[in-house]
């Protein structure tokens, strides 16, 4: 049940490193950094690349750059903004050509192949970069760690997570307590079966099949400790998929769940054909305007999980290992992601700061009487203990493999174990090729 609400800005959700990016690993190694940012003053020109942010936030970033240059008179920042489409391919092309921007907007799945290729600075091993670690939450810093690479390769920037929306009316009609939404997967499956039975198969509870985040939140170990192979085909993983198969067979999972897009899943929820769907504060205005009867009976809860930790999405800033003015690049990346600037950005858009202490401030800890405030506070509370479940080395191709094998299972073409064994085998092969 990944977060599927649209944001006002582009996030890494649903976007991963493609094969062309993973092929970069042949160009270098992600070993220890011999070059350090410790030499040199904060001076000279650097390039700074964002991911589809200029249209909505030009003034913010222009002001941010001006503030940095004012603090460091000898420094100059050239801002580049790339469109969302083909962003991974652009990173791959730049890295291969040796033209990767000095400070670059990445998500963990995009920084992973770059780190393996040896083109990003290992922040844990650089004496200057490492000193900034204390300004971020431990979970955010770990969210950017690359399995098997012994370090973090990008500064945590902004975070996101989302609540689970549910339809109180459909819960009541099924004889469930509308004020007690499911908190665990066992409770979820029980409620979903009851909703399907009492509606005679007309109302599903979920609109999508499980993703890798679901396996993580169920308590499945997704990868080996050294990050060299996927392990979600364990007995616990098979158990989760078996429950989803039962749900699909009895109508608790929407009949179009195998092919639905996030937008289509959201539409089913708006049409009150599905009882639950993950989202964000962005969705509330949509519900208010386009589904008023749903809005009046909307419940907001945490996404069910068995671990006590919600899923967290991370956007970050990596520093090129070959930046000519590396000290300036490190200082600027740390400046953009410091507490003051992260909090200012998070007041402009529905994202959350990754800096220590930020989420304890009133804006994120006290409701203001609005639905948006309620969602913001609930999400911020989740983020305090959230983790990034998605393995950074898991590419879009690997996610598609898992989705396809799960679809075969739902259709009865493969058993849950066979489907997961096949998905893991194919993904491990792709991992080794990378």
């Amino acid at each position: 049940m990944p977060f599927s609400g649209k944001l006002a800005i582009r996030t890494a959700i649903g976007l991963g490193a493609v094969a062309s990016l993973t092929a970069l690993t042949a160009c270098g190694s992600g070993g220890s950094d011999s070059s350090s940012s410790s030499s040199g003053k904060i001076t000279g020109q650097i390039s700074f690349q964002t991911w589809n942010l200029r249209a909505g936030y030009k003034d913010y970033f222009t002001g941010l750059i001006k503030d940095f240059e004012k603090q460091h008179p000898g420094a100059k920042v050239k801002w580049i903004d790339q469109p969302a489409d083909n962003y991974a391919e652009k990173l791959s092309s730049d890295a291969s050509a040796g033209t990767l921007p000095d400070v670059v907007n990445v998500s963990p799945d995009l920084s992973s192949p770059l780190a393996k290729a040896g083109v990003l600075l290992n922040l844990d091993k650089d004496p200057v970069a490492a000193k900034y670690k204390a300004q971020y939450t431990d979970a955010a810093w770990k969210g950017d760690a690359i399995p098997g690479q012994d370090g973090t390769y990008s500064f945590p920037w902004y975070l996101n997570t989302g609540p689970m929306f549910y339809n109180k009316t459909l819960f009541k009609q099924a004889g469930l307590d509308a004020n007690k939404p499911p908190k665990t997967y066992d409770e979820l499956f029980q409620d979903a079966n009851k909703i399907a039975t009492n509606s005679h198969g007309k109302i599903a509870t979920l609109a999508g099949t499980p993703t890798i985040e679901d396996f993580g939140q169920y308590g499945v170990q997704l990868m080996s400790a050294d990050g060299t192979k996927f392990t979600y085909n364990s007995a616990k993983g098979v158990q989760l998929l078996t429950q989803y198969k039962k749900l699909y067979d009895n109508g608790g999972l929407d009949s179009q769940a195998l092919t639905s897009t996030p937008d289509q899943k959201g539409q089913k929820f708006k049409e009150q054909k599905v009882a639950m769907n993950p989202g964000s504060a962005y969705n509330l205005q949509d519900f208010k305007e386009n589904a008023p009867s749903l809005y009046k009976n909307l419940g907001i809860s945490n996404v069910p999980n068995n671990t006590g930790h919600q899923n967290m999405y991370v956007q970050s800033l990596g520093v090129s290992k070959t930046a000519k003015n590396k000290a300036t690049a490190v200082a600027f990346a740390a400046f953009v992601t410091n507490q003051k600037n992260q909090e200012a950005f998070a007041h402009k858009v529905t994202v959350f700061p990754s800096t220590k202490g930020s989420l304890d401030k009133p804006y994120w800890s006290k409701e203001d009487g609005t639905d948006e405030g309620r969602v913001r506070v609930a999400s911020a509370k989740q983020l305090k203990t959230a983790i990034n479940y998605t393995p950074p080395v898991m590419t879009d191709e690997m996610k598609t493999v898992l989705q396809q094998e799960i679809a075969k299972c739902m259709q009865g073409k493969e058993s849950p174990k066979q489907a997961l064994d096949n998905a893991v085998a194919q993904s491990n092969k792709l991992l080794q090729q990378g």
Side-chain angles (χ1 to χ4, degrees):
M1 292 168 290
F3 170 76
S4 61
K6 292 180 179 177
L7 298 176
I9 62 173
R10 198 68 173 176
T11 72
I13 302 168
L15 293 171
V18 294
S20 62
L21 190 53
T22 58
L24 275 171
T25 54
C27 302
S29 64
S32 61
D33 282 295
S34 57
S35 54
S36 169
S37 65
S38 58
S39 60
K41 298 178 180 180
I42 300 176
T43 187
Q45 180 169 302
I46 62 166
S47 52
F48 166 50
Q49 178 172 288
T50 51
W51 182 359
N52 195 32
L53 295 178
R54 185 182 294 272
Y57 306 99
K58 180 180 179 180
D59 290 344
Y60 172 80
F61 286 104
T62 299
L64 196 68
I65 291 169
K66 188 177 295 185
D67 287 345
F68 180 77
E69 292 176 345
K70 185 176 180 180
Q71 288 184 24
H72 305 284
K76 197 74 176 173
V77 179
K78 179 184 177 182
W79 179 27
I80 306 164
D81 188 64
Q82 294 291 346
D85 293 341
N86 304 315
Y87 188 69
E89 289 89 339
K90 177 61 177 171
L91 287 178
S92 174
S93 176
D94 285 345
S96 296
T99 57
L100 189 71
D102 299 317
V103 178
V104 61
N105 186 183
V106 291
S107 52
D109 57 339
L110 296 180
S111 64
S112 176
L114 295 174
K116 288 184 178 180
V119 297
L120 287 185
L121 189 68
N122 186 333
L123 306 183
D124 283 313
K125 300 220 174 148
D126 182 88
V128 173
K131 74 179 183 181
Y132 293 106
K133 180 178 179 179
Q135 74 181 13
Y136 311 98
T137 66
D138 292 341
W141 190 266
K142 290 177 181 176
D144 276 308
I146 308 299
Q149 294 298 300
D150 189 27
T152 288
Y153 288 79
S154 48
F155 288 103
W157 189 4
Y158 55 86
L159 312 175
N160 225 317
T161 189
M164 176 67 79
F165 292 124
Y166 68 100
N167 189 317
K168 289 186 175 182
T169 298
L170 297 182
F171 268 63
K172 290 176 184 176
Q173 289 175 353
L176 297 170
D177 188 338
N179 294 315
K180 292 184 178 180
K183 294 181 179 179
T184 67
Y185 278 87
D186 286 344
E187 292 175 357
L188 171 65
F189 294 135
Q190 290 172 8
D191 288 356
N193 287 324
K194 193 166 185 178
I195 290 172
T197 299
N198 290 350
S199 68
H200 304 290
K202 294 181 180 179
I203 303 297
T205 295
L206 299 174
T209 54
T211 64
I212 193 66
E213 294 92 348
D214 282 296
F215 285 89
Q217 291 180 121
Y218 192 71
V220 178
Q221 183 175 336
L222 304 179
M223 296 198 77
S224 59
D226 60 4
T228 59
K229 62 181 180 179
F230 291 96
T231 58
Y232 56 80
N233 60 333
S234 63
K236 201 170 189 68
V238 172
Q239 184 182 65
L240 174 64
L241 190 53
T242 299
Q243 291 297 326
Y244 264 92
K245 169 60 175 167
K246 291 178 181 178
L247 210 60
Y248 185 73
D249 289 342
N250 71 11
L253 200 61
D254 184 67
S255 60
Q256 296 178 326
L258 307 188
T259 57
S260 291
T261 65
D263 283 345
Q264 290 170 335
K265 295 169 189 175
Q267 185 61 33
K268 288 271 183 145
F269 182 69
K270 283 168 57 177
E271 294 172 354
Q272 304 191 62
K273 296 176 181 178
V274 172
M276 302 182 75
N277 200 56
S280 75
Y282 173 93
N283 301 106
L284 291 174
Q285 188 63 34
D286 183 32
F287 296 152
K288 190 181 296 185
E289 295 176 357
N290 302 310
S293 60
L294 166 65
Y295 181 78
K296 287 193 298 185
N297 296 285
L298 186 70
I300 303 174
S301 179
N302 290 344
V303 174
N305 73 88
N306 291 358
T307 64
H309 301 282
Q310 297 291 323
N311 189 49
M312 172 177 70
Y313 299 96
V314 186
Q315 279 287 315
S316 309
L317 294 181
V319 176
S320 172
K321 192 174 176 182
T322 58
K324 181 179 179 181
N325 297 306
K326 195 175 300 173
T328 306
V330 169
F332 182 72
F335 176 77
V336 174
T337 59
N338 70 22
Q339 185 179 66
K340 177 185 175 182
N341 292 322
Q342 282 211 45
E343 290 179 4
F345 191 50
H347 273 78
K348 294 179 176 294
V349 65
T350 310
V351 295
F352 299 85
S354 64
T355 43
K356 287 181 180 176
S358 292
L359 298 181
D360 292 323
K361 295 188 175 181
Y363 184 72
W364 292 284
S365 61
K366 296 184 185 298
E367 294 185 18
D368 57 10
T370 66
D371 286 334
E372 290 79 4
R374 182 183 171 193
V375 172
R376 182 174 62 246
V377 171
S379 297
K381 185 176 180 180
Q382 289 180 190
L383 280 169
K384 287 187 175 183
T385 57
I387 59 177
N388 178 23
Y389 284 102
T390 308
V393 296
M394 191 169 194
T395 64
D396 274 356
E397 186 176 4
M398 296 172 189
K399 293 173 186 176
T400 299
V401 165
L402 176 58
Q403 183 182 24
Q404 291 173 341
E405 291 299 325
I406 287 176
K408 292 176 185 177
C409 172
M410 297 295 114
Q411 295 166 339
K413 297 177 181 179
E414 295 176 353
S415 69
K417 178 169 174 48
Q418 184 181 6
L420 293 183
D421 283 347
N422 289 344
V424 164
Q426 292 177 63
S427 295
N428 283 341
K429 185 176 180 181
L430 290 169
L431 190 62
Q432 292 168 3
Q433 291 174 349

